[in-house]
PDB file of all heavy atoms in Angstrom:
ATOM      1  N   ALA P 568     -23.186   1.219  13.373  1.00 72.00           N
ATOM      2  CA  ALA P 568     -22.982   0.516  12.065  1.00 72.00           C
ATOM      3  C   ALA P 568     -22.269   1.477  11.129  1.00 72.00           C
ATOM      4  O   ALA P 568     -21.446   1.127  10.300  1.00 72.00           O
ATOM      5  CB  ALA P 568     -24.343   0.078  11.569  1.00 72.00           C
ATOM      6  N   ALA P 569     -22.740   2.779  11.091  1.00 71.00           N
ATOM      7  CA  ALA P 569     -22.145   3.737  10.215  1.00 71.00           C
ATOM      8  C   ALA P 569     -20.690   3.911  10.502  1.00 71.00           C
ATOM      9  O   ALA P 569     -19.788   4.029   9.544  1.00 71.00           O
ATOM     10  CB  ALA P 569     -22.903   5.044  10.286  1.00 71.00           C
ATOM     11  N   ARG P 570     -20.381   3.959  11.808  1.00 76.00           N
ATOM     12  CA  ARG P 570     -18.944   4.082  12.170  1.00 76.00           C
ATOM     13  C   ARG P 570     -18.125   2.904  11.731  1.00 76.00           C
ATOM     14  O   ARG P 570     -17.018   3.108  11.230  1.00 76.00           O
ATOM     15  CB  ARG P 570     -18.867   4.194  13.691  1.00 76.00           C
ATOM     16  CG  ARG P 570     -17.495   4.341  14.281  1.00 76.00           C
ATOM     17  CD  ARG P 570     -16.850   5.626  13.913  1.00 76.00           C
ATOM     18  NE  ARG P 570     -15.491   5.715  14.496  1.00 76.00           N
ATOM     19  CZ  ARG P 570     -14.639   6.712  14.223  1.00 76.00           C
ATOM     20  NH1 ARG P 570     -14.985   7.644  13.370  1.00 76.00           N
ATOM     21  NH2 ARG P 570     -13.413   6.720  14.824  1.00 76.00           N
ATOM     22  N   LYS P 571     -18.649   1.698  11.833  1.00 79.00           N
ATOM     23  CA  LYS P 571     -17.911   0.524  11.359  1.00 79.00           C
ATOM     24  C   LYS P 571     -17.718   0.553   9.872  1.00 79.00           C
ATOM     25  O   LYS P 571     -16.658   0.225   9.397  1.00 79.00           O
ATOM     26  CB  LYS P 571     -18.649  -0.762  11.769  1.00 79.00           C
ATOM     27  CG  LYS P 571     -18.594  -0.972  13.300  1.00 79.00           C
ATOM     28  CD  LYS P 571     -19.420  -2.250  13.610  1.00 79.00           C
ATOM     29  CE  LYS P 571     -19.436  -2.502  15.184  1.00 79.00           C
ATOM     30  NZ  LYS P 571     -20.297  -3.697  15.511  1.00 79.00           N
ATOM     31  N   GLN P 572     -18.752   0.958   9.217  1.00 83.00           N
ATOM     32  CA  GLN P 572     -18.664   1.081   7.772  1.00 83.00           C
ATOM     33  C   GLN P 572     -17.616   2.122   7.278  1.00 83.00           C
ATOM     34  O   GLN P 572     -16.834   1.837   6.384  1.00 83.00           O
ATOM     35  CB  GLN P 572     -19.997   1.407   7.084  1.00 83.00           C
ATOM     36  CG  GLN P 572     -21.025   0.293   7.223  1.00 83.00           C
ATOM     37  CD  GLN P 572     -22.374   0.734   6.700  1.00 83.00           C
ATOM     38  OE1 GLN P 572     -22.868   1.816   7.049  1.00 83.00           O
ATOM     39  NE2 GLN P 572     -23.136  -0.152   6.035  1.00 83.00           N
ATOM     40  N   PHE P 573     -17.604   3.180   8.040  1.00 80.00           N
ATOM     41  CA  PHE P 573     -16.632   4.237   7.761  1.00 80.00           C
ATOM     42  C   PHE P 573     -15.170   3.675   7.920  1.00 80.00           C
ATOM     43  O   PHE P 573     -14.288   3.882   7.079  1.00 80.00           O
ATOM     44  CB  PHE P 573     -16.790   5.422   8.637  1.00 80.00           C
ATOM     45  CG  PHE P 573     -15.618   6.385   8.663  1.00 80.00           C
ATOM     46  CD1 PHE P 573     -15.238   7.048   7.614  1.00 80.00           C
ATOM     47  CD2 PHE P 573     -14.884   6.585   9.820  1.00 80.00           C
ATOM     48  CE1 PHE P 573     -14.131   7.991   7.629  1.00 80.00           C
ATOM     49  CE2 PHE P 573     -13.819   7.450   9.904  1.00 80.00           C
ATOM     50  CZ  PHE P 573     -13.389   8.067   8.741  1.00 80.00           C
ATOM     51  N   LEU P 574     -14.952   2.997   9.001  1.00 80.00           N
ATOM     52  CA  LEU P 574     -13.613   2.377   9.236  1.00 80.00           C
ATOM     53  C   LEU P 574     -13.244   1.449   8.132  1.00 80.00           C
ATOM     54  O   LEU P 574     -12.083   1.329   7.666  1.00 80.00           O
ATOM     55  CB  LEU P 574     -13.554   1.716  10.583  1.00 80.00           C
ATOM     56  CG  LEU P 574     -13.691   2.633  11.828  1.00 80.00           C
ATOM     57  CD1 LEU P 574     -13.822   1.842  13.093  1.00 80.00           C
ATOM     58  CD2 LEU P 574     -12.521   3.667  11.852  1.00 80.00           C
ATOM     59  N   HIS P 575     -14.218   0.705   7.608  1.00 81.00           N
ATOM     60  CA  HIS P 575     -13.949  -0.276   6.529  1.00 81.00           C
ATOM     61  C   HIS P 575     -13.567   0.473   5.222  1.00 81.00           C
ATOM     62  O   HIS P 575     -12.657   0.081   4.606  1.00 81.00           O
ATOM     63  CB  HIS P 575     -15.272  -1.144   6.379  1.00 81.00           C
ATOM     64  CG  HIS P 575     -15.097  -2.216   5.349  1.00 81.00           C
ATOM     65  ND1 HIS P 575     -14.322  -3.299   5.520  1.00 81.00           N
ATOM     66  CD2 HIS P 575     -15.604  -2.367   4.132  1.00 81.00           C
ATOM     67  CE1 HIS P 575     -14.361  -4.112   4.490  1.00 81.00           C
ATOM     68  NE2 HIS P 575     -15.168  -3.529   3.593  1.00 81.00           N
ATOM     69  N   VAL P 576     -14.343   1.527   5.007  1.00 85.00           N
ATOM     70  CA  VAL P 576     -14.105   2.308   3.725  1.00 85.00           C
ATOM     71  C   VAL P 576     -12.713   2.999   3.873  1.00 85.00           C
ATOM     72  O   VAL P 576     -12.016   3.137   2.898  1.00 85.00           O
ATOM     73  CB  VAL P 576     -15.237   3.410   3.558  1.00 85.00           C
ATOM     74  CG1 VAL P 576     -14.838   4.342   2.430  1.00 85.00           C
ATOM     75  CG2 VAL P 576     -16.533   2.708   3.191  1.00 85.00           C
ATOM     76  N   ARG P 577     -12.390   3.428   5.067  1.00 86.00           N
ATOM     77  CA  ARG P 577     -11.159   4.163   5.328  1.00 86.00           C
ATOM     78  C   ARG P 577      -9.852   3.246   4.917  1.00 86.00           C
ATOM     79  O   ARG P 577      -8.900   3.842   4.532  1.00 86.00           O
ATOM     80  CB  ARG P 577     -11.140   4.685   6.765  1.00 86.00           C
ATOM     81  CG  ARG P 577     -10.012   5.673   7.045  1.00 86.00           C
ATOM     82  CD  ARG P 577     -10.274   6.316   8.434  1.00 86.00           C
ATOM     83  NE  ARG P 577      -9.133   7.080   8.909  1.00 86.00           N
ATOM     84  CZ  ARG P 577      -8.834   8.305   8.587  1.00 86.00           C
ATOM     85  NH1 ARG P 577      -9.664   8.972   7.716  1.00 86.00           N
ATOM     86  NH2 ARG P 577      -7.820   8.906   9.063  1.00 86.00           N
ATOM     87  N   VAL P 578     -10.030   2.077   5.098  1.00 88.00           N
ATOM     88  CA  VAL P 578      -8.940   1.183   4.703  1.00 88.00           C
ATOM     89  C   VAL P 578      -8.752   1.208   3.325  1.00 88.00           C
ATOM     90  O   VAL P 578      -7.561   1.252   2.800  1.00 88.00           O
ATOM     91  CB  VAL P 578      -9.266  -0.315   5.176  1.00 88.00           C
ATOM     92  CG1 VAL P 578      -8.230  -1.311   4.669  1.00 88.00           C
ATOM     93  CG2 VAL P 578      -9.267  -0.391   6.743  1.00 88.00           C
ATOM     94  N   VAL P 579      -9.846   1.143   2.536  1.00 88.00           N
ATOM     95  CA  VAL P 579      -9.690   1.240   1.092  1.00 88.00           C
ATOM     96  C   VAL P 579      -9.074   2.546   0.576  1.00 88.00           C
ATOM     97  O   VAL P 579      -8.194   2.599  -0.255  1.00 88.00           O
ATOM     98  CB  VAL P 579     -11.087   0.969   0.378  1.00 88.00           C
ATOM     99  CG1 VAL P 579     -10.966   1.190  -1.207  1.00 88.00           C
ATOM    100  CG2 VAL P 579     -11.647  -0.291   0.732  1.00 88.00           C
ATOM    101  N   ILE P 580      -9.532   3.670   1.173  1.00 90.00           N
ATOM    102  CA  ILE P 580      -8.962   4.958   0.861  1.00 90.00           C
ATOM    103  C   ILE P 580      -7.425   4.939   1.167  1.00 90.00           C
ATOM    104  O   ILE P 580      -6.632   5.419   0.404  1.00 90.00           O
ATOM    105  CB  ILE P 580      -9.604   6.027   1.701  1.00 90.00           C
ATOM    106  CG1 ILE P 580     -11.092   6.140   1.319  1.00 90.00           C
ATOM    107  CG2 ILE P 580      -8.989   7.372   1.392  1.00 90.00           C
ATOM    108  CD1 ILE P 580     -11.891   7.117   2.165  1.00 90.00           C
ATOM    109  N   GLY P 581      -7.115   4.369   2.321  1.00 90.00           N
ATOM    110  CA  GLY P 581      -5.702   4.281   2.764  1.00 90.00           C
ATOM    111  C   GLY P 581      -4.790   3.534   1.749  1.00 90.00           C
ATOM    112  O   GLY P 581      -3.686   3.913   1.370  1.00 90.00           O
ATOM    113  N   VAL P 582      -5.380   2.384   1.157  1.00 93.00           N
ATOM    114  CA  VAL P 582      -4.593   1.599   0.178  1.00 93.00           C
ATOM    115  C   VAL P 582      -4.277   2.473  -1.068  1.00 93.00           C
ATOM    116  O   VAL P 582      -3.173   2.550  -1.553  1.00 93.00           O
ATOM    117  CB  VAL P 582      -5.370   0.424  -0.212  1.00 93.00           C
ATOM    118  CG1 VAL P 582      -4.779  -0.325  -1.405  1.00 93.00           C
ATOM    119  CG2 VAL P 582      -5.376  -0.641   0.964  1.00 93.00           C
ATOM    120  N   ILE P 583      -5.376   3.130  -1.545  1.00 94.00           N
ATOM    121  CA  ILE P 583      -5.235   3.987  -2.766  1.00 94.00           C
ATOM    122  C   ILE P 583      -4.274   5.068  -2.586  1.00 94.00           C
ATOM    123  O   ILE P 583      -3.347   5.401  -3.351  1.00 94.00           O
ATOM    124  CB  ILE P 583      -6.593   4.505  -3.273  1.00 94.00           C
ATOM    125  CG1 ILE P 583      -7.500   3.368  -3.703  1.00 94.00           C
ATOM    126  CG2 ILE P 583      -6.431   5.406  -4.457  1.00 94.00           C
ATOM    127  CD1 ILE P 583      -8.912   3.716  -3.905  1.00 94.00           C
ATOM    128  N   LEU P 584      -4.343   5.763  -1.430  1.00 93.00           N
ATOM    129  CA  LEU P 584      -3.458   6.908  -1.132  1.00 93.00           C
ATOM    130  C   LEU P 584      -2.073   6.476  -0.873  1.00 93.00           C
ATOM    131  O   LEU P 584      -1.150   7.218  -1.256  1.00 93.00           O
ATOM    132  CB  LEU P 584      -4.060   7.749   0.051  1.00 93.00           C
ATOM    133  CG  LEU P 584      -5.443   8.408  -0.233  1.00 93.00           C
ATOM    134  CD1 LEU P 584      -5.812   9.259   0.945  1.00 93.00           C
ATOM    135  CD2 LEU P 584      -5.403   9.263  -1.546  1.00 93.00           C
ATOM    136  N   GLY P 585      -1.927   5.253  -0.214  1.00 94.00           N
ATOM    137  CA  GLY P 585      -0.585   4.705  -0.061  1.00 94.00           C
ATOM    138  C   GLY P 585       0.134   4.472  -1.374  1.00 94.00           C
ATOM    139  O   GLY P 585       1.284   4.767  -1.569  1.00 94.00           O
ATOM    140  N   LEU P 586      -0.678   3.875  -2.419  1.00 96.00           N
ATOM    141  CA  LEU P 586      -0.135   3.799  -3.708  1.00 96.00           C
ATOM    142  C   LEU P 586       0.291   5.089  -4.330  1.00 96.00           C
ATOM    143  O   LEU P 586       1.259   5.217  -5.032  1.00 96.00           O
ATOM    144  CB  LEU P 586      -1.073   3.026  -4.548  1.00 96.00           C
ATOM    145  CG  LEU P 586      -1.451   1.539  -4.243  1.00 96.00           C
ATOM    146  CD1 LEU P 586      -2.557   0.985  -5.033  1.00 96.00           C
ATOM    147  CD2 LEU P 586      -0.121   0.715  -4.564  1.00 96.00           C
ATOM    148  N   SER P 587      -0.524   6.110  -4.060  1.00 97.00           N
ATOM    149  CA  SER P 587      -0.303   7.437  -4.693  1.00 97.00           C
ATOM    150  C   SER P 587       0.993   8.004  -4.117  1.00 97.00           C
ATOM    151  O   SER P 587       1.871   8.470  -4.868  1.00 97.00           O
ATOM    152  CB  SER P 587      -1.468   8.346  -4.358  1.00 97.00           C
ATOM    153  OG  SER P 587      -2.696   7.870  -4.771  1.00 97.00           O
ATOM    154  N   ILE P 588       1.164   8.009  -2.796  1.00 96.00           N
ATOM    155  CA  ILE P 588       2.410   8.462  -2.227  1.00 96.00           C
ATOM    156  C   ILE P 588       3.620   7.651  -2.719  1.00 96.00           C
ATOM    157  O   ILE P 588       4.691   8.195  -2.998  1.00 96.00           O
ATOM    158  CB  ILE P 588       2.292   8.482  -0.624  1.00 96.00           C
ATOM    159  CG1 ILE P 588       1.283   9.532  -0.171  1.00 96.00           C
ATOM    160  CG2 ILE P 588       3.661   8.681   0.034  1.00 96.00           C
ATOM    161  CD1 ILE P 588       1.853  10.905  -0.321  1.00 96.00           C
ATOM    162  N   GLY P 589       3.373   6.370  -2.723  1.00 96.00           N
ATOM    163  CA  GLY P 589       4.478   5.439  -3.201  1.00 96.00           C
ATOM    164  C   GLY P 589       4.948   5.815  -4.646  1.00 96.00           C
ATOM    165  O   GLY P 589       6.118   5.826  -4.970  1.00 96.00           O
ATOM    166  N   LYS P 590       3.969   6.160  -5.490  1.00 97.00           N
ATOM    167  CA  LYS P 590       4.260   6.553  -6.862  1.00 97.00           C
ATOM    168  C   LYS P 590       5.116   7.806  -6.890  1.00 97.00           C
ATOM    169  O   LYS P 590       6.172   7.859  -7.682  1.00 97.00           O
ATOM    170  CB  LYS P 590       2.996   6.742  -7.609  1.00 97.00           C
ATOM    171  CG  LYS P 590       3.162   7.001  -9.115  1.00 97.00           C
ATOM    172  CD  LYS P 590       3.501   5.700  -9.838  1.00 97.00           C
ATOM    173  CE  LYS P 590       3.502   5.890 -11.336  1.00 97.00           C
ATOM    174  NZ  LYS P 590       3.956   4.709 -12.000  1.00 97.00           N
ATOM    175  N   LEU P 591       4.809   8.810  -6.046  1.00 97.00           N
ATOM    176  CA  LEU P 591       5.501  10.036  -6.033  1.00 97.00           C
ATOM    177  C   LEU P 591       6.935   9.806  -5.486  1.00 97.00           C
ATOM    178  O   LEU P 591       7.892  10.273  -6.030  1.00 97.00           O
ATOM    179  CB  LEU P 591       4.783  11.044  -5.209  1.00 97.00           C
ATOM    180  CG  LEU P 591       3.452  11.528  -5.800  1.00 97.00           C
ATOM    181  CD1 LEU P 591       2.699  12.465  -4.860  1.00 97.00           C
ATOM    182  CD2 LEU P 591       3.628  12.250  -7.101  1.00 97.00           C
ATOM    183  N   LEU P 592       7.066   9.140  -4.290  1.00 96.00           N
ATOM    184  CA  LEU P 592       8.290   8.878  -3.700  1.00 96.00           C
ATOM    185  C   LEU P 592       9.233   8.084  -4.635  1.00 96.00           C
ATOM    186  O   LEU P 592      10.432   8.367  -4.622  1.00 96.00           O
ATOM    187  CB  LEU P 592       8.125   8.267  -2.266  1.00 96.00           C
ATOM    188  CG  LEU P 592       7.424   9.114  -1.291  1.00 96.00           C
ATOM    189  CD1 LEU P 592       7.269   8.363  -0.006  1.00 96.00           C
ATOM    190  CD2 LEU P 592       8.005  10.393  -1.146  1.00 96.00           C
ATOM    191  N   GLN P 593       8.685   7.121  -5.237  1.00 96.00           N
ATOM    192  CA  GLN P 593       9.511   6.292  -6.134  1.00 96.00           C
ATOM    193  C   GLN P 593       9.988   7.107  -7.295  1.00 96.00           C
ATOM    194  O   GLN P 593      11.137   6.948  -7.808  1.00 96.00           O
ATOM    195  CB  GLN P 593       8.660   5.147  -6.712  1.00 96.00           C
ATOM    196  CG  GLN P 593       9.555   4.100  -7.519  1.00 96.00           C
ATOM    197  CD  GLN P 593      10.652   3.471  -6.762  1.00 96.00           C
ATOM    198  OE1 GLN P 593      10.475   2.832  -5.771  1.00 96.00           O
ATOM    199  NE2 GLN P 593      11.870   3.696  -7.270  1.00 96.00           N
ATOM    200  N   GLY P 594       9.155   8.006  -7.816  1.00 95.00           N
ATOM    201  CA  GLY P 594       9.646   8.882  -8.956  1.00 95.00           C
ATOM    202  C   GLY P 594      10.755   9.746  -8.478  1.00 95.00           C
ATOM    203  O   GLY P 594      11.707   9.991  -9.240  1.00 95.00           O
TER     204      GLY P 594
END
Side-chain angles (χ1 to χ4, degrees):
R570 177 68 179 174
K571 290 178 182 177
Q572 288 173 322
F573 164 67
L574 294 175
H575 185 69
V576 171
R577 194 165 166 85
V578 171
V579 177
I580 297 173
V582 169
I583 298 172
L584 298 184
L586 291 170
S587 303
I588 289 289
K590 188 75 173 173
L591 295 174
L592 295 181
Q593 186 61 60

